[in-house]
């Protein structure tokens, strides 16, 4: 993704009686599933030429979507907006079987960029439904990921939006209940929801493995550490990015006096920095690192030139690209077949 220029000199360095610094959370930014999905759209454009259609936003980041549109991607809400026979990419958040069938009925050439960790949750839903379990799906109503997972077993899924929903949940058989979750939730809130569910349904089963993805958990752990010392936390990420919004909440719950989400560095307000000596910075799992660098540049203009990285985990996971895109145009295995890219 190209560099987004900041507006230099917009923020002023107001002298204070304490040294100013930035605590930069690590890990932050792109996760393996996002990287894979974005590269899938780029490579589909290389292979098939523009336009390539994408159902919903490929990932929840306004900058990524805008840049892919410039390259020839067209984002649609539903497959019936796509011309018959065209190429369509399913987003990282996944789709229900009904969407897959609708695309097939229109003769669309579908490329599935669903994050493999989301696919895992889909398979769990299918398996538990087959065994006639009632699935309590912890997640946010209307989120694409939740719609896709629920669509795998609509007659067996009950959505649980928050811990406060638990008293109103009714099940057919309290001895055959399992919980699954959206992958981008707050770990702490999800565990509180599970605790309350288990109080009502003591035989509630757990999924075979944790549904909340490694990247979501890692970014939350890192910002918890940063928030212990930061008076202000800035989270780079879009408003419809569940994991970015959760990072703001986690920061506030773990010591930050204030926390704000921004898409771009130009959204940082001078008044946020008044009387502040330590600023924490992180970014959601669908955010290019270039956007974080622009935030650091603008903060440096305001006197926050000292940057210390707070690292709580190492990430080296990569996922294979969709099978249609693992070779280059000459038919050779593509060097990006694992979805990795060099990070600036």
């Amino acid at each position: 993704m190209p560099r987004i220029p900041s507006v230099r000199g917009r923020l002023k360095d107001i002298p204070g009686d304490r040294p100013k610094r930035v605590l930069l959370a690590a890990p932050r930014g792109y996760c393996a599933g996002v990287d894979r999905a974005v590269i899938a759209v780029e490579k589909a454009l290389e292979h098939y030429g523009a336009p390539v259609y994408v159902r919903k936003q490929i990932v929840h980041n306004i900058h990524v979507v805008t840049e892919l549109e410039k390259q020839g991607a067209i984002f649609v809400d539903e497959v019936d907006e796509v011309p018959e026979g065209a190429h369509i990419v399913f987003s990282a958040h996944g789709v229900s079987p009904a969407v897959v069938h609708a695309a097939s009925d229109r003769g669309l050439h579908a490329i599935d960029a669903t994050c493999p960790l989301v696919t895992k949750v889909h398979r769990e839903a299918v398996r538990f439904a087959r065994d006639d379990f009632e699935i309590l799906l912890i997640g946010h109503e209307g989120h694409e990921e939740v719609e896709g997972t629920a669509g795998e077993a609509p007659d067996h899924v009950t959505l649980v939006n928050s811990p406060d929903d638990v008293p109103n949940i009714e099940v057919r058989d309290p001895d055959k209940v399992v919980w699954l979750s959206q992958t981008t939730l707050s770990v702490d809130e999800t565990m509180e929801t599970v605790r309350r569910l288990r109080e009502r349904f003591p035989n509630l089963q757990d999924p075979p493995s944790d549904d909340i993805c490694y990247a979501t958990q890692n970014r939350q752990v890192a910002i918890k550490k940063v928030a212990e010392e930061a008076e202000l936390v800035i989270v780079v990420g879009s408003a419809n990015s569940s994991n970015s919004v959760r990072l703001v909440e986690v920061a506030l719950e773990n010591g930050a006096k204030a926390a704000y989400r921004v898409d771009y560095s130009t959204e940082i307000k001078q008044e946020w920095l008044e009387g502040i000596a330590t600023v924490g910075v992180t970014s959601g799992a669908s955010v290019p690192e270039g956007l974080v660098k622009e935030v650091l540049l603008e903060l440096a203009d305001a006197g926050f030139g000292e940057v210390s990285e707070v690292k709580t985990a190492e990430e080296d996971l990569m996922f294979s690209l969709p099978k249609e895109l693992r070779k280059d145009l000459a038919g050779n295995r593509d060097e990006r077949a694992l979805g990795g890219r060099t990070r600036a």
Side-chain angles (χ1 to χ4, degrees), residues 160-213:
V160 186
N161 271 286
S162 73
D164 294 337
D165 282 359
V166 172
N168 301 318
I169 299 297
E170 300 293 337
V171 300
R172 297 187 305 273
D173 182 353
D175 292 326
K176 293 204 72 173
V177 185
V178 64
W179 69 272
L180 301 177
S181 79
Q182 183 180 330
T183 63
T184 55
L185 300 179
S186 161
V187 177
D188 294 338
E189 182 175 333
T190 300
M191 290 302 100
E192 174 60 16
T193 303
V194 172
R195 185 189 69 78
R196 295 189 192 184
L197 285 170
R198 186 159 279 119
E199 285 181 349
R200 286 205 61 201
F201 312 112
N203 293 329
L204 178 71
Q205 288 200 26
D206 297 324
S209 60
D210 195 345
D211 284 346
I212 297 179
C213 90

Side-chain angles (χ1 to χ4, degrees), residues 27-266:
R28 63 184 176 276
Y30 267 15
C31 64
V34 164
D35 204 27
R36 173 182 186 267
V38 174
I39 291 176
V41 178
E42 293 172 344
K43 285 182 60 60
L45 287 163
E46 292 174 11
H47 276 234
Y48 310 117
V52 165
Y53 293 83
V54 184
R55 183 184 181 273
K56 306 293 188 181
Q57 292 187 354
I58 185 66
V59 297
H60 286 161
N61 184 265
I62 188 171
H63 172 63
V64 172
V65 169
T66 299
E67 291 304 318
L68 290 173
E69 285 178 330
K70 291 177 183 177
Q71 297 175 44
I74 296 177
F75 293 86
V76 298
D77 285 329
E78 297 299 343
V79 297
D80 60 10
E81 301 172 49
V82 181
E84 292 186 7
H87 288 86
I88 187 168
V89 180
F90 296 144
S91 81
H93 308 105
V95 298
S96 69
V99 173
V100 175
H101 294 150
S104 177
D105 289 345
R106 290 187 63 79
L108 303 182
H109 301 283
I111 299 167
D112 188 1
T114 302
C115 173
L117 300 181
V118 174
T119 299
K120 176 186 79 72
V121 182
H122 282 215
R123 289 172 178 164
E124 290 170 352
V126 170
R127 180 166 69 84
F128 283 112
R130 185 176 61 237
D131 293 337
D132 203 30
F133 274 81
E134 188 149 358
I135 300 164
L136 303 182
L137 177 59
I138 302 171
H140 297 138
E141 186 173 6
H143 192 282
E144 290 103 295
E145 183 183 329
V146 167
E147 291 176 348
T149 301
E152 294 284 0
D155 296 334
H156 288 78
V157 170
T158 297
L159 182 62
V160 186
N161 271 286
S162 73
D164 294 337
D165 282 359
V166 172
N168 301 318
I169 299 297
E170 300 293 337
V171 300
R172 297 187 305 273
D173 182 353
D175 292 326
K176 293 204 72 173
V177 185
V178 64
W179 69 272
L180 301 177
S181 79
Q182 183 180 330
T183 63
T184 55
L185 300 179
S186 161
V187 177
D188 294 338
E189 182 175 333
T190 300
M191 290 302 100
E192 174 60 16
T193 303
V194 172
R195 185 189 69 78
R196 295 189 192 184
L197 285 170
R198 186 159 279 119
E199 285 181 349
R200 286 205 61 201
F201 312 112
N203 293 329
L204 178 71
Q205 288 200 26
D206 297 324
S209 60
D210 195 345
D211 284 346
I212 297 179
C213 90
Y214 77 95
T216 296
Q217 295 187 54
N218 286 348
R219 281 147 191 73
Q220 290 178 16
V221 169
I223 202 58
K224 284 181 181 181
K225 187 71 174 176
V226 167
E228 292 174 0
E229 299 184 59
E231 300 156 275
L232 165 70
V233 167
I234 295 172
V235 177
V236 186
S238 290
N240 62 339
S241 167
S242 179
N243 74 89
S244 297
V245 173
R246 299 290 84 73
L247 287 172
V248 173
E249 296 171 352
V250 170
L252 291 171
E253 291 165 358
N254 287 273
K257 295 181 177 64
Y260 300 97
R261 180 203 55 77
V262 300
D263 272 300
Y264 297 105
S265 62
T266 52

Side-chain angles (χ1 to χ4, degrees), residues 286-304:
S286 51
V287 177
E289 182 65 7
L291 298 181
V292 176
K293 290 185 176 180
E294 296 304 329
V295 166
L296 297 179
L297 285 172
E298 292 217 36
L299 287 175
D301 288 343
F304 295 87

